[in-house]
Amino acid sequence: MLLAFGNFTADPSVNLQLLIGGLALGAIYAVVALGFVLVYKSTDVLNLAHGEFLMLGAYFALTFLISENLNFFLGVFVLLLVMLVFGLLVHYGIMRRMVGQGFFAIVLITLGIATIIRALLLIFYGPTERGRLDLLPQGSFEIGGATVRHVDIIIFAVVAGCVLLFFLFFKYTRLGLHMRAVADDIEAAAAMGIDPDKVYAMTWAAAMVMAGIGGLLFGHVTGAIDRSIEAIGLRAFPAAVVGGLTSLGGSIVGGLVVGVIEQFANGHLGTKWREPVAFSVMFVVLLVRPTGLWGRKDLERV
Amino acid sequence: MSDAILSFDDVTVQFGGVRACDSISGRVERGSLFALIGPNGAGKTTLVNAISGVYKPLPGAKVQFHPAGEPAEDLLAYRPFQIARLGVARTFQNLGLFMGENVLTNLLLGRYIHEHTRLMQGGLFTRGAVKRELAARQAIERVVDLLDLGAFRRDSVGDLPYGVQKRIEFGRVLAMEPELLMLDEPMAGMSVDEKQDMIRYIYAAQDELNMTVFLIEHDMSVVMSIADHVMVLDFGQKIAEGTPAEMQQDERVIAAYLGTEMAEN
Amino acid sequence: MTATENPPTQQTAQTYRPSTLQRFLPFAIAAVVPFILGSTTGDVNFWWKALITVVVLAVVARLAWKWTPRGELTHREDMRLWRTPSDRSWAALTTFGLLVLPFILASDFTPPMGFPWATWFAVVNLVLIFAMGAAAFNLLVGYSGQISLAHVAFLALGSIVGGIVGVQWSGGNMWLALPAAAVAGAVVGAISGLPALRLKHLYLLLATFGFHFVMMLVWREYLQEYFGFVGIRFKGENSPRIASWLHWLPGIDPDQNGEFVITGQFRWYWVLMPITVLSILFMVNVVRTREGRAFAAVRDRDVSASLLGINVARSKLFAFALSSAIVSMSGVLASFYIGSRGEDSFNVQTVLNYAIIIVVGGFSSIQGAIFGSAFFWFLPEWFKWAREELWFVRDIDFLSDYPSEIDLAIKGFLVVIILMFKPDGLAGMWRDFKNWLGRTLARSNP
Amino acid sequence: MNASGLDLTIEGLTVVYGGVTALDDVKINVPSGGFVTVLGANGAGKTTLVRSITGLLYLHKGRVRRGSIELGGESILGKKSPDIVSAGVAQVPEGRKLFPNLTVKENLLCGAASRSDISGIDDSLEQNLDLFPQLRPLLSQTAGLLSGGEQQMVAVGRALMSQPSLLICDELSLGLAPKIVHRLFELLTEINETRGTSILVIEQNASLALQHAADAYVLELGRVLMEGSAAELRGNPMVQELYLGGGGEAHTSYAAIERPSGGKRWGRKRTGGDS
């Protein structure tokens, strides 16, 4: 089989454009990866429904900000509140019963949740695509022949802010401490009087809020809001793994790295290479350093 | 000294900064009952893990296995499954059984190294495969008989009482027909009656099946009654070795076991 | 020889007395065969019918005689796949059902209330193809514990091999493509399993998912290179056919041009059913012999397994190779049965569909795959029928407005509910039902 | 402001995991301000006992079938572990179970998870550091990197952070040098005497436990085999036999087992034959 290699170009402005596009894409991956990492770190659940959660966020943003035409800040507040409640529902309704079940069963149940969300969104919003969100500044400026959108900068800032916020939260608050304790050893945490149930519920709520923010942001950069945007969940996997599934900061770096690599593969090799290249990078990282670049390794004794 | 079936020299196993086993040497005589004792956390299981290939000892260690009538093998050069095929079988302190499977399946797994049905033959259920399955079944029926497991053949192992599970695991290593049988606390959590039964089974393995037994045990009275040779570990170090009678008199052994003020001085 | 009454020495399930039902069921089934042959396939001549009837009767009589246990079981008898009388009865009923089903479906019978009889045949054939693939998937992830999302990649591999060997080389020779796909599947499967030697759980899942995307790239390249964007046509001039030297077989009635093309649901059924049944039996046999036991051992505790002398790495690769080979074969079958495969035939949703099938059917049990795929394909049909024909459902506009979406939602809810409350799935429910039936019958007929 | 000890009364406790009974009709009483030890070999059900008291059975799919557990006259059976800790039960789990990736200080603070008086937590931290002065320079160390003895001190300190009225120590001596274990037991005695905290020690190291405790129970196969004052049990020949490796009756009964003669059992024809 002949795999055609695309045209490599030496034009620096093209490469710069690819780099900027990659960083923008990477910022989105980082939002999604952050959601994965939050849940995985605290509850040991690999949440394959995160892409759907993000889609849910995007659709809700559409409803509250466009259809209901709420004031921007009020709309965002309502959006995040709804997502938070939804996160609590996911935990208390479903995931609570799955604590202690096999790994694959839990992965599959998140797939079930994903399916339900997709079906419900189809029922209530229909299969037709909606336009993208346009509430954040839409302009762009140029650097060295490459275009930078304002939205990309905002996304960047928001993601960095979220990571910082989470970092401070985990480091300095009591609840954050308890969440880390549960992640370390659930039984010991329970023995100390920390309620793992509550901690898990908070984790799901936080992840869902992250998905709400992600949906809101992604709604501004995607071509159109339709049911295909859940694919972002799968495409962000390499980012989460490369960064290390247990590291919040790692998810940002992983997101950026994978975003840039994807954009370069896209620009120089062709669109079809995007996913294979990203997943190959992930594969190599897995084999060389299974815990990712920043993930921590737990000592295991037989 | 007659011939040794197992000899190990300078075995050191390190986890992080902790030396779970520190330069331990010893030899097990063919046909004897070798007992390894010591308080919890003394490094007994770690030593067995190093011999059976689960842990890699630090360089410098030497573990030799002498199968009957064959040249000695350096066990450190092999991976665990190869060591098992050489004729060294072991049980686990907290059971290495497959809890979801039934007793027959667990015991048949003990025959894995003896019957050689390939994947394809098994899938097509060829005549040869049936014959070998049958042979394996007959072999384990002897174990079922010996250990009185007949009532549980198709019960899921996880649903059976602890004592029976211990017996099944013992049966599984018997089915492997090894030359060297390493038992890691086979009587933990058993009543005195059950312990007596287990001792009878161990005798049977020794006398009728010509196995050499390497026993880790916590219960001093059992060890003192049945062992030919005793080695005592404490904090990863060998503190004494000799006949059971000698061990009972040894001050360091008493100190290690009683954990009293003596150690403080 | 009569059944000797040896009182069981221990409490084992070792001593049987054959039940009346069990003695006569095989004969009853065999007796129906001539009727089926006589009533439906008119193109089989009289002597063939007579011969088949005699052979079937002879075989059934022989097996019934041999399989009727007397007194205590020998180990050989105890080792049988259908060990207990009720096992055997159910197996006989299933065989009977599988033989009779196509004739019933092909008949002119129309059930009342517009029950979707006509669509059933296509659904049954799809169920057979999917059951084969799902069973292999379950063997890998459920039974052997090697988590893989590369499942659909092997369906694609089957299509590629079908395209190269079956279409490009031989112009529609599925019989050549099947073994080729099995070999290719085994080799590529073992390669895709290499990460399993180092990775577990989550990381293995992601690594195999990466393999999925690589395979999709290969698939698109292959399509583009040789077939353009439309896809590969496996039907029409590329339909599989029966070689002319086999045309003497009963039930094979060549078309005018002297060819016997496998087309139409009835003919496909007789191709798919045996292949599916045989491959599932193959997997069941693997599971109950040496290497299959090793799969389970490696799944539960790999350290303990390796100390039993099991080469854990080899065992894992075997599991991957076996599963992938069978999935690839089902990929070939699906390609030829469905008739064309294009760019989007193997998307991520298909991976999810197979996951739904094995969860609903029953995780880690091979027969669960059959229940699961039956459920997966029949649910939309029945749901459609209920929407159109049942008066109390018909009136709910909501349901008729969003049929496929509600279908999807039902599947999602079922996955969640089954995982939460009944992890054994439909296969577990079926087992419970059989046990209940057995107990009830035993009570009523001491 | 230290809470005085509460008494713990366990009556007829029967616990099962799946179909396996781990505890059978266990009756144990820790008087207010008392120091009680429960002895037993591996698999005797000691850890199950701890789990039942602290409400953690559910994590291991265990279930209390019968019996009652009362703390200070109030039933704590079936309560969730946070409520049990709030009620005054703290534990040092078997194998220490520190949070390996958290610092020593964070580990200690986790022990105060059930407390609502935020201001009091710092005082408790200080008190604990006075008790274990060795820990003071280690406060910002990652707990997983400490030595075994230091880890055990953190574990005890962590348990004390909730200001318990009952402190349960599971296998305190596991894998520690006798000197350190000795020191830990002295600290327990001190806590018991100065703060009036009731203490329940689960141990394999019988001699040491019997030295410090007032009352003792011996658990075997899920049942209470013996109970009495520690002094009584220390003199009991059977206890010596079981835990101190003496030469009592059981010894002779093992030695008296005859070796089988002439391959009678192995190789006998199978039972399920087709004759």
Side-chain angles (χ1 to χ4, degrees), chain D residues 13-16 21-26 44-46 48-49 52 219 222:
Chain D
L13 186 67
T14 303
V15 176
V16 291
T21 306
L23 286 182
D24 189 7
D25 200 18
V26 166
K46 294 172 303 189
T48 304
L49 178 68
S52 335
L219 217 54

Side-chain angles (χ1 to χ4, degrees), chain B residues 87-110:
Chain B
V88 180
R90 66 166 286 193
T91 64
F92 288 82
Q93 193 174 348
N94 34 17
L95 295 168
L97 291 171
F98 308 109
M99 293 299 175
E101 305 291 326
N102 64 25
V103 176
L104 280 182
T105 307
N106 269 284
L107 291 175
L108 282 170
L109 273 164

Side-chain angles (χ1 to χ4, degrees), chain C residues 90-397:
Chain C
W90 284 114
L93 273 177
T94 312
T95 315
F96 179 62
L98 285 174
L99 291 176
V100 173
L101 185 68
F103 295 100
I104 300 175
L105 289 177
S107 67
D108 299 335
F109 173 69
T110 40
M113 291 184 72
F115 202 68
W117 195 250
T119 60
W120 266 44
F121 220 146
V123 172
V124 165
N125 281 339
L126 278 172
V127 166
L128 288 171
I129 294 174
F130 269 67
M132 182 174 161
F137 188 34
N138 220 347
L139 178 78
L140 183 65
V141 298
Y143 190 80
S144 313
Q146 304 304 315
I147 290 156
S148 166
L149 288 186
H151 181 75
V152 169
F154 287 99
L155 292 178
L157 181 73
S159 278
I160 291 174
V161 174
I164 295 174
V165 177
V167 174
Q168 285 179 298
W169 291 5
S170 59
N173 195 337
M174 189 175 76
W175 314 109
L176 212 59
L178 277 173
V183 172
V187 172
V188 181
I191 294 170
S192 84
L194 286 175
L197 306 187
R198 278 204 63 170
L199 307 172
K200 268 184 188 171
H201 300 312
L202 162 71
Y203 298 106
L204 181 56
L205 183 141
L206 293 174
T208 54
F209 206 39
F211 185 82
H212 168 86
F213 285 105
V214 173
M215 192 53 112
M216 288 307 104
L217 177 74
V218 175
W219 165 243
R220 280 191 213 113
E221 282 293 319
Y222 172 70
L223 267 188
Q224 213 171 359
E225 193 75 15
Y226 295 104
F227 295 94
F229 277 107
V230 197
I232 312 177
R233 267 172 67 79
F234 290 91
K235 58 189 168 197
E237 73 282 1
N238 291 331
S239 293
R241 49 208 78 209
I242 304 274
S244 56
W245 55 273
L246 285 172
H247 287 184
W248 55 273
L249 285 170
I252 306 263
D253 186 21
D255 306 330
Q256 271 90 13
N257 55 4
E259 282 190 328
F260 187 89
V261 180
I262 299 170
T263 175
Q265 307 294 356
F266 186 82
R267 287 177 179 182
W268 266 110
Y269 179 87
W270 289 108
V271 172
L272 297 175
M273 190 273 284
I275 294 180
T276 300
V277 168
L278 288 179
S279 60
I280 287 178
L281 276 181
F282 185 91
M283 285 184 267
V284 169
N285 279 338
V286 166
V287 162
R288 70 202 181 103
T289 49
R290 178 173 174 263
E291 295 291 350
R293 282 194 293 269
F295 291 167
V298 170
R299 170 198 64 199
D300 283 358
R301 283 159 189 256
D302 47 3
V303 174
S304 179
S306 72
L307 290 169
L308 291 173
I310 296 168
N311 186 342
V312 173
R314 181 170 161 274
S315 198
K316 283 180 180 173
L317 292 187
F318 269 9
F320 270 97
L322 173 63
S323 165
S324 310
I326 293 174
V327 173
S328 301
M329 279 166 68
S330 84
V332 171
L333 289 176
S335 305
F336 278 96
Y337 175 72
I338 295 167
S340 67
R341 306 254 79 180
E343 178 107 16
D344 289 332
S345 299
F346 308 104
N347 47 24
V348 175
Q349 182 59 45
T350 320
V351 184
L352 303 192
N353 287 347
Y354 272 93
I356 292 173
I357 287 177
I358 65 168
V359 169
V360 172
F363 200 49
S364 84
S365 85
I366 286 175
Q367 65 265 47
I370 305 165
F371 289 105
S373 44
F375 174 82
F376 184 84
W377 287 106
F378 274 110
L379 175 79
E381 290 302 322
W382 287 341
F383 184 47
K384 186 163 161 250
W385 168 75
R387 242 169 29 233
E388 285 164 4
E389 303 296 336
L390 288 185
W391 54 269
F392 57 91
V393 180
R394 197 168 41 198
D395 295 343
I396 308 174
D397 290 338

